[in-house]
Amino acid sequence: MSPLPTINPVEPFLRAERMPHIWCPGCGIGTTVNCFARALVASKLPLDKVAVVSGIGCTGRVAGYVHLDSFHTTHGRAIPFATGLKLARPDLTVVVYSGDGDLIAIGGNHFIHAARRNVDIKVICVNNFTYGMTGGQVAPTTPVGATATTTPYGCFERPFNLPFLAESSGAVYVARWTAFHVRHIAHSMVEAFQKKGFSFIEILSPCPTLYQRRNKMGDGLDTMHFYKQHSVIKNGANTRDVDINLQGEIIVGKFVDNERPTLQQSMEQQLRQTLRDRYAGWGGV
Ligand code: SF4
């Protein structure tokens, strides 16, 4: 008897032997992976030219589940690893797929410098406002007033506005969606795959186990309803104005789509110029 045909279009992109995955019911990370698979199909990228790099955390497990060349690196170090990979293999589309704790706290310095240098990598940040895997500690994305295991009386630190951080550091493509906006996420991923330079997509995603429950926000489905009701699409919005306000509107959209030389292009241009200047008297290079 021939095997049943594949009915889930995402299945070919997953390492079935690694299922079941570790994500909790209602977690939004799986939804983002579904979008990623659909974006890969839509972009028609050769899959042997796509590499995924993750750090540590619940989102960091994506690297282990996708059926691509992938690297599960140490905590906070996905971006430096991806930078090295891209410089050594410029023919690859290098995707960093990790969480807010990994990318913006422990790996925060790598994030701003990779954006500043315009490294040609695509950074997908699943932002659930907390450290999920390590137990729900406060993160640099936790909204003021929200409780975490390390802020039982409420977070009192101002969180990062990630699109503004990315743009002001030098990213050429910046978008934010929530896990509810599945088509927009996939579309942004396709655009980022086609873009040359540091591209950043933030996806607000429920962590029902450690963030929603602690903050009495219901389960994953309740959070999807919340995102549906509270998000407002404002493409081209000034990233200064997109701080997350869980009491008011959450601004989502594509905010930045610029062009400037990538790290590799700047390096090659500088090298050519230096050689031209140095050997100008020798009849040119
Ligand atoms: Fe998802 Fe939170 Fe569970 Fe981690 S702890 S898998 S982020 S719901």
Side-chain angles (χ1 to χ4, degrees):
M1 198 171 111
S2 59
L4 287 172
T6 301
I7 51 168
N8 185 340
V10 178
E11 217 174 292
F13 296 90
L14 298 177
R15 296 181 201 230
E17 72 280 9
R18 292 218 158 181
M19 298 296 133
H21 56 70
I22 64 149
W23 298 316
C24 310
C27 177
I29 299 171
T31 304
T32 74
V33 174
N34 191 306
C35 299
F36 182 58
R38 287 167 197 272
L40 285 173
V41 173
S43 66
K44 299 190 172 61
L45 282 173
L47 296 184
D48 60 348
K49 298 287 184 193
V50 180
V52 176
V53 184
S54 288
I56 298 299
C58 295
T59 311
R61 297 301 286 250
V62 169
Y65 295 139
V66 290
H67 206 195
L68 299 162
D69 284 333
S70 59
F71 301 88
H72 193 184
T73 64
T74 48
H75 214 343
R77 311 300 170 221
I79 286 181
F81 191 97
T83 301
L85 181 60
K86 183 65 189 179
L87 290 176
R89 288 287 307 273
D91 58 313
L92 297 181
T93 297
V94 178
V95 180
V96 170
Y97 211 127
S98 223
D100 50 306
D102 185 71
L103 282 171
I104 309 300
I106 296 172
N109 224 26
H110 300 304
F111 180 83
I112 59 174
H113 288 288
R116 174 183 66 81
R117 302 159 100 191
N118 200 20
V119 183
D120 184 17
I121 55 177
K122 328 300 165 194
V123 178
I124 297 165
C125 175
V126 178
N127 179 3
N128 50 28
F129 306 137
T130 192
Y131 284 88
M133 185 175 275
T134 52
Q137 294 87 351
V138 72
T141 46
T142 307
V144 171
T147 55
T149 47
T150 47
T151 53
Y153 303 109
C155 174
F156 46 85
E157 300 172 3
R158 181 182 170 162
F160 274 131
N161 166 353
L162 297 189
F164 182 48
L165 180 67
E167 183 184 17
S168 53
S169 302
V172 292
Y173 183 95
V174 180
R176 172 199 281 154
W177 301 106
T178 77
F180 173 75
H181 297 91
V182 288
R183 288 179 191 273
H184 297 88
I185 295 171
H187 182 69
S188 271
M189 287 174 171
V190 172
E191 288 190 330
F193 293 157
Q194 290 162 351
K195 191 86 192 160
K196 281 272 175 224
F198 190 92
S199 303
F200 176 67
I201 303 172
E202 177 187 21
I203 306 170
L204 307 182
S205 170
C207 169
T209 305
L210 288 162
Y211 184 84
Q212 263 68 32
R213 187 171 53 172
R214 189 177 301 277
N215 286 284
K216 303 190 173 34
M217 292 180 71
D219 59 18
L221 196 55
D222 294 324
T223 310
M224 289 298 199
H225 282 303
F226 178 86
Y227 282 147
K228 181 182 175 195
Q229 286 163 353
H230 288 256
S231 22
V232 180
I233 298 176
K234 289 188 184 170
N235 290 316
N238 187 328
T239 56
R240 283 178 187 277
D241 303 330
V242 302
D243 272 300
I244 290 172
N245 176 5
L246 292 182
Q247 275 71 51
E249 59 181 27
I250 298 171
I251 300 171
V252 297
K254 179 171 80 170
F255 305 132
V256 177
D257 195 346
N258 292 333
E259 303 289 334
R260 71 183 179 93
T262 64
L263 173 67
Q264 192 116 12
Q265 288 166 339
S266 302
M267 197 164 59
E268 286 163 6
Q269 194 182 335
Q270 182 67 30
L271 181 64
R272 267 199 304 274
Q273 185 62 46
T274 305
L275 290 175
R276 224 178 274 131
D277 294 346
R278 187 168 299 169
Y279 298 110
W282 296 29
V285 176

